[in-house]
């Protein structure tokens, strides 16, 4: 089973690329995932970018000045990616794969369509899709068509899908899947999935200078969720929590705001969706997690390590703060695994004592009032 890694860990595994082919911002339209208001199956534009790192240099292609087996024609690659999107749309529209067109499923399907190699966790109805692709190829061509990259020695396959209209206040939502290959392995040995909310523009009260305490200023918020193993499309709910938490705050530093956003994401987005069991006021019989103080002496203690806790990166910029610079920026990256750092651990302990609460989407009114129990969904 391929391991789900952070992008940095995957780069360390595959090494620096020496030979690459890439295409950027291929355009198409699909009723994929949800729109900016959380409505499913609404046609929206997609921008697809792919990069392929090869195991070996362009030996024969560079010496002969021809498109030889040592390389991949970028025009053929572009057509194959768009053909995969069309095939995915058709499969999701008929009885073969009667499931919503999730963003994660499309990333995995394009990888499978181009390489013929399975990825884990499998996308919905993957076995039926394989059978359908084989039968269609045979019926249309009389023979089974091999995937474009099946016989290519790949080191790293990357695909990023950007939905530029899927955010109310940002420049888009994207999901990037990267699949690392090792010599001798049929399929990928490891992969990464990264969900991004891009450049959310949120007015908020932030700063230490006296003038900054008088009025709100625009802050650009970037959210990156590494080791993202969710199949469902919850980026609208994530944006809601981030935007409301930012605009309702009044911190003096971007550093404090960044940590505030991370704790809110862990408490109100990640934990409500986690399959990890933890005690709540109404379920004291559940086994105690190993990170809780009393768990060390409990015979029922469990570990959170088998669960893929995402790593969260927050980027905050204040474009108007420095007159003769684009923007000061603060980045903070924190693992949501409670066994990895004190911030995450304190959030999980708080939820263990107070219980799990999931922010309704859409939430009418202020998030801080909902947190304090003063507002109804």
């Amino acid at each position: 089973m391929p391991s789900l890694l952070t992008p940095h860990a995957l780069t360390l595994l595959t090494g620096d690329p020496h030979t690459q082919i890439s295409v950027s911002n291929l355009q198409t339209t699909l009723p994929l995932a949800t729109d900016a208001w959380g409505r499913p199956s609404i046609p929206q534009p997609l921008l697809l970018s792919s990069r392929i790192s090869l195991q070996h240099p362009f030996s024969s292609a560079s010496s002969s000045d021809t498109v030889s087996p040592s390389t991949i024609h970028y025009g053929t690659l572009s057509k194959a990616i768009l053909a995969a999107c069309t095939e995915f749309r058709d499969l999701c529209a008929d009885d073969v794969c009667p499931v919503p067109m999730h963003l994660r499923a499309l990333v995995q399907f394009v990888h499978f369509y181009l390489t013929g190699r399975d990825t884990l966790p499998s996308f919905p109805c993957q076995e039926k899709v394989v059978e359908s692709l084989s039968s269609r190829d045979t019926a249309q061509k009389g023979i089974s068509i091999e995937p474009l990259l099946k016989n290519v020695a790949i080191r790293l396959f990357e695909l990023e899908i950007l939905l530029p209209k899927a955010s109310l206040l940002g420049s888009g939502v994207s999901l990037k899947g990267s699949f690392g290959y090792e010599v001798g392995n049929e399929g990928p040995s490891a992969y990464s999935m990264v969900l991004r909310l891009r450049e959310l523009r949120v007015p908020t009260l932030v700063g230490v200078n006296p003038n900054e305490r008088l009025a709100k200023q625009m802050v650009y918020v970037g959210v990156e969720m590494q080791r993202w193993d969710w199949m469902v499309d919850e980026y609208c709910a994530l944006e809601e929590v981030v935007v409301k938490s930012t605009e309702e705050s009044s911190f003096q530093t971007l550093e404090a705001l960044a940590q505030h956003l991370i704790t809110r994401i862990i408490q109100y987005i990640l934990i409500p969706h986690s399959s990890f069991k933890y005690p709540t006021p109404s379920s004291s019989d559940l086994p105690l997690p190993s990170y809780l103080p009393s768990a060390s002496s409990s015979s029922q203690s469990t570990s959170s390590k088998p669960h893929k806790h995402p790593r969260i990166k927050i980027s905050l910029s204040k474009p108007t703060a420095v007159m003769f610079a684009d923007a000061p920026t603060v980045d903070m990256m924190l693992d949501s695994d409670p066994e990895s750092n004190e911030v995450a651990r304190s959030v999980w302990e708080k939820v263990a004592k107070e219980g799990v609460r999931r922010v309704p989407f859409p939430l009418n009114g202020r998030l801080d009032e909902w947190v304090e129990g003063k507002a109804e969904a």
Side-chain angles (χ1 to χ4, degrees), residues 16-203:
D16 294 329
H18 55 73
T19 304
Q20 296 184 104
I21 303 99
S22 62
V23 292
S24 300
N25 294 333
L26 290 170
Q27 301 180 35
T28 188
T29 302
L30 287 175
L32 184 69
T34 64
D35 67 1
W37 286 270
R39 299 176 299 176
S41 304
I42 303 295
Q44 60 177 313
L46 279 69
L47 298 177
L48 300 99
S49 300
S50 180
R51 182 169 58 184
I52 300 171
S53 301
L54 303 180
Q55 295 279 0
H56 310 291
F58 298 133
S59 53
S60 59
S62 57
S63 60
S64 63
D65 195 21
T66 60
V67 182
S68 69
S70 68
T71 187
I72 305 164
H73 193 281
Y74 46 80
T76 305
L77 175 62
S78 301
K79 293 177 182 178
I81 292 174
L82 294 177
C85 293
T86 301
E87 190 73 40
F88 181 76
R89 180 198 61 200
D90 294 342
L91 288 170
C92 290
D94 62 21
D95 295 334
V96 174
C97 191
V99 296
M101 298 178 68
H102 293 304
L103 185 57
R104 169 72 178 272
L106 179 57
V107 171
Q108 291 186 225
F109 179 80
V110 173
H111 171 261
F112 170 75
Y113 186 93
L114 295 179
T115 65
R117 292 152 180 165
D118 294 341
T119 55
L120 295 172
S122 61
F123 56 82
C125 305
Q126 181 162 315
E127 294 182 359
K128 293 183 179 180
V129 169
V130 174
E131 295 174 0
S132 176
L133 288 176
S134 300
S135 62
R136 291 187 186 190
D137 289 339
T138 303
Q140 294 176 4
K141 304 292 184 178
I143 57 173
S144 179
I145 301 176
E146 288 191 345
L148 176 65
L149 306 178
K150 183 176 181 179
N151 297 317
V152 177
I154 301 173
R155 172 181 288 186
L156 183 67
F157 175 86
E158 298 175 289
L159 177 70
E160 184 170 33
I161 301 177
L162 170 63
L163 306 177
K165 301 295 184 179
S167 172
L168 289 174
L169 296 178
S171 59
V173 176
S174 67
L175 182 67
K176 182 177 182 179
S178 303
F179 305 86
Y181 289 78
E182 293 181 309
V183 177
N185 287 359
E186 283 295 323
S189 56
Y191 71 104
S192 73
M193 285 284 173
V194 180
L195 177 73
R196 290 186 178 92
L197 305 184
R198 300 176 173 228
E199 290 187 327
L200 296 171
R201 299 166 181 85
V202 187

Side-chain angles (χ1 to χ4, degrees), residues 169-170 197-207 212-213 215-223 237-265 268 312-319 330 359 363 365-369 371:
L169 296 178
L197 305 184
R198 300 176 173 228
E199 290 187 327
L200 296 171
R201 299 166 181 85
V202 187
T204 187
L205 195 67
V206 61
E212 292 183 299
R213 309 309 300 173
K216 291 185 176 183
Q217 60 180 301
M218 195 65 68
V219 171
Y220 285 17
V221 184
V223 181
L238 175 61
E239 178 174 325
E240 176 184 71
V241 169
V242 171
V243 169
K244 286 183 177 292
S245 297
T246 302
E247 65 185 3
E248 296 171 4
S249 66
S250 59
F251 292 100
Q252 295 191 71
T253 65
L254 292 176
E255 290 84 350
L257 175 57
Q259 182 168 316
H260 175 65
L261 294 178
I262 289 176
T263 57
R264 282 284 179 89
I265 291 173
Y268 297 117
I312 308 167
K313 180 180 179 181
I314 300 293
S315 298
L316 300 174
S317 301
K318 296 196 299 183
V330 167
V359 179
L363 174 65
R366 295 176 60 89
L367 178 58
D368 55 5
E369 293 182 353
V371 170

